[in-house]
Amino acid sequence: MLEFPPRGSVGVRRCRVGIPGDVGVPTRADGAPSPEDLVLPLQTQCLSDRKDGCCSYNTMCLSGLRRFLLLYATQQGQAEAIAQEISEQAAAHGFSADLHCLSESDKYDLKTETAPLVIVVSTTGSGDPPDTARNFVKEIQDKTLPGDLLAHLQYGLLGLGDSEYTYFCNGGKIIDKRLQELGARHFYDTGHADDCVGLELVVEPWIGGLWTALMKHFASSQGGEATRGSPTAGPHTSLLRDPMTPACAALDTRIQSLCLDDSGGGAPQASGQDAVDSGQTGTLGDGVEPSLTHSEPPLSQAALSIPAAPPEYLQVTLREPLAQEEIRVPVTSAGPVFQVPISKAVQLTTNDAVKTAMLLELDISKTAFAYEPGDAFHVVCPNNDAEVQGLLQRLGLEEQSRHHVFLEVMKGATQKKGAALPPHIPENCSLQSVFTWCLEIRATPKKAFLRALADCTHTTTEKRRLQELCSQQGAADYQRFVRAAHLSLLDLLCAFPSCQPPLRLLLEHLPKLQPRPYSCASSSLWHPGRLHFVFNVVEFLSYTPAVVLRKGVCTGWLATLATSGVHLTPADSGNATVSQISIAPRAINSFHLPEDPTVPVIMVGPGTGVAPFIGFLQHREKLQEQNPDGSFGAMWLVFGCRHKDRDYLFRDELMHFLKHGVLTHLTVSFSRDAPAGEGTAPAKYVQDSLRLHAKQVARILLQENGSVYVCGDAKHMAKDVNDALVGIISTEAGVDTLEAMRTLAAFKEEKRYLQEIWS
């Protein structure tokens, strides 16, 4: 919280996420102190990453910073970024963060660790720890470990998740629970941040309370007191146990800013001369609706608590290529990447369907790529070319698009701890390629990014508005006009024309362009040398600064490839004109058919969620052909779509499997078709179909030790199916809801209840 007092008074610099303690003075984009923002700190402390070991305005230097171990496990970079944020703030609060990824087990040892531990953990898949935590979780879940192995350890944990998924923040919860089973105890309450409403609503106050908790921990330890039992983090620790509604989260954030204000009073009075203090400049008249670029009272007149400007750390040089070099496609994946041709493209839905579903067939016959039914894989995709060109044009870099980008870390001129070159930007890569293949240019700008952009904005009203959007007071506007509006960097720059960020700033803040995961929709026994996958062409409206219909980054690109003449037979796949895409294996998962073929299975997959089950059925048919005398369990498919005549995917294939006895039971619901006959009440959704067959479902799960697989949308379907299964178990087994939930949780632990879901 960076509170700017009236001109001429003395104030205290606040930290990036709204908590007292950050050190130094505000700076402009070029790193120099901004005269209009200069605030002398009442108390400053030594910054550990300064070469001289002391701050410019130091009045009290701490020679021995108190160390804590800071670990993170990340899937797409969120947890890592938050851990780095904590690390950067630590020195200003008198602490030293020993930062490592959980996968770097050679750099820390919890069995002998004496310092307090802080962990930031994301969640992936349907509730699993991220890939970088797999080995760590496997090690601590060893049942032979003694129950007091980590009794010496005290820790605080921040879990990241999305409440649209059934197992919210489960990656963090798994680690949290197991650490306590091994004797470790909290010195600070666990936080659960919800990406559905905005991670920052929980992350910011959690980090703020961390410093108080650490101070109490070290004070207690130095006094020889044991800090076992209940957490000792003071008033901040009772927050954030469960996902909050936006309204409640915003209220808690405001309460936190009041609790943590060490001035003893309210916000300082605005001077009327500083854009951060006063909203008098650029306010609208009464009755004008707020928008991305305009606010209304009380926000437009509020004194703002804004984040500190993030430290700059990159030096960027653009060099003209020596010759007409072809722009190569950079691949920054850690694992193997295979370039494969598209051998077939088929539209599965009619043109009047609500969503367009497509099937692509990839020729993997000349690669070492292998898969099982139920596996998923990654597609390496580029950004939309028109958006890349628009961004280059807006930045004034169109004529330098083919120049090569050279990056260096600022030597001795950055306060960013552990500053390093972005690993997802290859050396000697053109600017065009960097924006096309390396950076998630459509990512919603985070508040730290908005704060940095505000320093590059030259119009007072525009600068003030960007400061509002990244402030604590503007949390609701940020949610409404930035997050919910699917705002991209290009949208933002078009809405704020006086914002002129340097290229360095974009490379520091734009995240890596992530490959997109897709489920395999075939069996290699049925289609040797081929891989099928299915996708809906994602379309959504972006409302700022103008209403624009956009397609998904990857699905839009794939649809363009599929509709540009790639309707080929396998014999054509050797043609040099065939489009190719890059794919990579995904981490090993457990969404596979039971090893015992006699185990009955229930498959639930509406829409494109049916894709992996097509692979299951193809595989099972081939196994039955190879073993005509074998014993095979029942296979149920519960499928759903909107209209029978528009988006009933794989209808002919399903009828084939049903006819040949591979599929023993098929139930299909059509959510938008009229009832089949007068007085009938057919199942509208897949969860309704499950309830209609409750006795059979319960028999398969409770008496025959069957397995249930769920694939599809996490936002509604997965939760509704989960609730339906709980209700079926409760009713048919004659137990209460809590016991039914425990039973279903046990199925998940036993890998008998598996989900492959997405938002």
Side-chain angles (χ1 to χ4, degrees):
M1 182 167 62
L2 186 55
E3 302 242 5
F4 290 97
R7 195 175 299 277
S9 64
V10 180
V12 180
R13 175 81 178 264
R14 307 300 178 92
C15 78
R16 183 170 309 170
V17 292
I19 310 299
D22 203 5
V23 177
V25 294
T27 58
R28 299 195 307 259
D30 60 4
S34 175
E36 65 184 17
D37 293 341
L38 185 60
V39 180
L40 293 177
L42 289 175
Q43 172 180 302
T44 58
Q45 298 174 341
C46 179
L47 293 176
S48 61
D49 55 356
R50 286 290 299 264
K51 286 188 175 180
D52 56 6
C54 197
C55 310
S56 302
Y57 301 95
N58 187 32
T59 58
M60 181 184 72
C61 185
L62 298 180
S63 58
L65 299 180
R66 292 161 289 185
R67 173 186 171 275
F68 66 94
L69 178 61
L70 176 57
L71 302 178
Y72 67 87
T74 191
Q75 189 70 23
Q76 296 188 345
Q78 294 269 43
E80 181 180 6
I82 292 169
Q84 289 176 343
E85 177 79 11
I86 294 172
S87 177
E88 290 170 7
Q89 292 185 35
H93 293 271
F95 302 105
S96 173
D98 188 6
L99 176 65
H100 303 291
C101 179
L102 267 178
S103 62
E104 299 173 321
S105 57
D106 59 323
K107 297 181 180 178
Y108 65 90
D109 186 356
L110 297 188
K111 296 177 184 177
T112 59
E113 184 60 64
T114 58
L117 169 66
V118 177
I119 313 178
V120 184
V121 184
S122 63
T123 298
T124 189
S126 58
D128 300 317
D131 295 342
T132 51
R134 284 179 182 270
N135 290 337
F136 175 83
V137 170
K138 183 178 179 181
E139 289 175 5
I140 64 174
Q141 286 184 334
D142 182 353
K143 299 301 181 182
T144 65
L145 296 176
D148 61 349
L149 178 71
L150 301 179
H152 59 283
L153 193 65
Q154 296 191 57
Y155 73 99
L157 185 143
L158 176 63
L160 312 181
D162 189 326
S163 60
E164 289 187 345
Y165 287 77
T166 304
Y167 297 97
F168 172 69
C169 280
N170 202 50
K173 290 176 181 177
I174 289 173
I175 294 175
D176 198 6
K177 178 183 177 182
R178 187 55 180 155
L179 290 179
Q180 293 186 68
E181 291 174 348
L182 294 174
R185 294 292 179 267
H186 290 124
F187 75 87
Y188 185 37
D189 267 4
T190 296
H192 295 146
D194 186 0
D195 196 38
C196 181
V197 297
L199 293 174
E200 68 281 352
L201 296 179
V202 168
V203 171
E204 293 178 359
W206 191 90
I207 296 178
L210 174 64
W211 311 123
T212 302
L214 283 169
M215 283 189 283
K216 290 189 175 184
H217 169 83
F218 281 107
S220 177
S221 299
Q222 291 169 358
E225 301 175 12
T227 53
R228 289 287 186 242
S230 60
T232 58
H236 313 300
T237 62
S238 62
L239 298 174
L240 324 176
R241 289 191 178 276
D242 296 302
M244 293 184 276
T245 63
C248 292
L251 178 60
D252 275 342
T253 301
R254 291 196 293 273
I255 292 173
Q256 281 297 301
S257 67
L258 293 175
C259 293
L260 299 171
D261 184 5
D262 62 351
S263 64
Q269 295 296 316
S271 66
Q273 299 179 39
D274 195 324
V276 175
D277 282 318
S278 173
Q280 298 301 320
T281 56
T283 58
L284 297 176
D286 292 340
V288 179
E289 284 291 317
S291 67
L292 172 64
T293 55
H294 298 287
S295 62
E296 63 179 9
L299 179 59
S300 62
Q301 298 173 352
L304 301 176
S305 302
I306 65 174
E312 55 187 75
Y313 64 95
L314 286 180
Q315 288 182 331
V316 183
T317 305
L318 294 179
R319 298 178 186 173
E320 191 171 357
L322 298 177
Q324 280 299 106
E325 301 177 20
E326 182 181 353
I327 299 178
R328 60 190 180 90
V329 176
V331 175
T332 58
S333 173
V337 176
F338 302 94
Q339 191 83 4
V340 296
I342 299 174
S343 51
K344 185 193 296 183
V346 179
Q347 182 171 316
L348 301 178
T349 51
T350 61
N351 291 332
D352 57 350
V354 175
K355 293 183 178 180
T356 300
M358 306 201 71
L359 177 146
L360 292 188
E361 180 185 82
L362 305 179
D363 182 355
I364 59 172
S365 60
K366 297 180 181 179
T367 72
F369 186 92
Y371 70 97
E372 293 182 48
D375 278 347
F377 66 98
H378 284 124
V379 172
V380 180
C381 62
N383 285 307
N384 179 271
D385 184 63
E387 293 175 38
V388 171
Q389 298 307 318
L391 188 56
L392 289 170
Q393 184 177 13
R394 173 62 178 80
L395 296 170
L397 296 172
E398 234 181 342
E399 295 183 358
Q400 297 169 286
S401 64
R402 292 184 176 271
H403 284 45
H404 288 182
V405 178
F406 291 86
L407 301 180
E408 293 180 289
V409 174
M410 293 179 176
K411 298 178 180 178
T414 179
Q415 293 186 350
K416 181 176 177 64
K417 189 175 180 180
L421 297 178
H424 52 278
I425 301 180
E427 295 182 3
N428 201 32
C429 185
S430 74
L431 183 59
Q432 175 95 23
S433 292
V434 167
F435 278 133
T436 302
W437 294 96
C438 303
L439 302 175
E440 194 87 58
I441 64 172
R442 205 185 274 181
T444 300
K446 298 185 183 299
K447 288 187 176 182
F449 198 2
L450 296 182
R451 173 64 178 88
L453 290 171
D455 285 344
C456 306
T457 304
H458 306 294
T459 300
T460 303
T461 53
E462 291 185 6
K463 180 175 183 178
R464 162 74 192 196
R465 183 53 175 157
L466 287 173
Q467 290 168 335
E468 289 173 351
L469 291 171
C470 70
S471 71
Q472 289 185 354
Q473 292 79 6
D477 276 20
Y478 175 82
Q479 172 66 24
R480 177 181 177 186
F481 298 116
V482 180
R483 278 183 59 89
H486 304 291
L487 193 75
S488 70
L489 174 63
L490 181 58
D491 294 331
L492 195 75
L493 294 178
C494 290
F496 295 88
S498 76
C499 182
Q500 301 294 331
L503 178 60
R504 166 197 62 77
L505 191 64
L506 275 60
L507 302 186
E508 289 174 348
H509 286 272
L510 285 173
K512 174 186 176 181
L513 178 59
Q514 296 288 341
R516 274 38 177 186
Y518 293 93
S519 297
C520 300
S522 56
S523 165
S524 57
L525 295 181
W526 186 288
H527 295 287
R530 296 291 188 268
L531 168 63
H532 289 186
F533 70 103
V534 178
F535 61 92
N536 281 326
V537 181
V538 176
E539 293 183 326
F540 62 95
L541 292 175
S542 177
Y543 292 95
T544 50
V547 178
V548 178
L549 178 64
R550 285 188 171 139
K551 292 183 178 180
V553 172
C554 191
T555 62
W557 173 64
L558 290 173
T560 299
L561 292 179
T563 56
S564 59
V566 192
H567 295 274
L568 307 171
T569 65
D572 297 321
S573 58
N575 192 308
T577 62
V578 173
S579 297
Q580 292 192 333
I581 65 174
S582 296
I583 62 173
R586 202 179 177 198
I588 297 173
N589 62 53
S590 56
F591 201 81
H592 296 145
L593 283 168
E595 292 184 8
D596 182 356
T598 65
V599 173
V601 298
I602 299 172
M603 303 170 288
V604 184
T608 55
V610 75
F613 303 135
I614 297 300
F616 282 8
L617 293 166
Q618 291 177 355
H619 200 72
R620 175 60 65 85
E621 178 164 334
K622 289 299 180 182
L623 290 179
Q624 291 184 189
E625 289 177 359
Q626 295 170 4
N627 300 277
D629 298 326
S631 178
F632 296 91
M635 297 192 78
W636 284 52
L637 176 62
V638 182
F639 177 64
C641 56
R642 293 178 178 84
H643 301 282
K644 182 177 181 179
D645 297 327
R646 301 181 193 177
D647 52 10
Y648 188 164
L649 308 183
F650 298 104
R651 175 168 22 185
D652 293 341
E653 289 88 342
L654 294 177
M655 293 301 106
H656 166 85
F657 293 128
L658 197 61
K659 179 181 178 181
H660 288 78
V662 178
L663 185 58
T664 54
H665 187 93
L666 173 65
T667 175
V668 186
S669 55
F670 306 103
S671 62
R672 298 193 185 180
D673 279 346
E678 187 175 346
T680 61
K684 189 174 183 180
Y685 301 109
V686 288
Q687 61 267 24
D688 301 324
S689 293
L690 288 171
R691 292 189 182 99
L692 285 176
H693 299 88
K695 291 189 180 299
Q696 297 97 316
V697 170
R699 186 190 71 246
I700 290 173
L701 297 180
L702 300 176
Q703 299 176 25
E704 301 176 6
N705 295 318
S707 298
V708 59
Y709 297 80
V710 180
C711 183
D713 166 51
K715 188 172 184 179
H716 300 297
M717 183 277 300
K719 286 183 177 180
D720 293 339
V721 167
N722 188 83
D723 292 344
L725 291 172
V726 168
I728 289 170
I729 294 171
S730 175
T731 301
E732 300 301 322
V735 298
D736 60 26
T737 300
L738 183 58
E739 183 61 29
M741 292 173 67
R742 290 195 184 109
T743 300
L744 203 57
F747 289 168
K748 187 174 190 297
E749 290 292 324
E750 297 165 7
K751 306 299 182 186
R752 292 177 52 203
Y753 177 28
L754 297 126
Q755 295 178 308
E756 183 73 25
I757 56 179
W758 55 82
S759 58

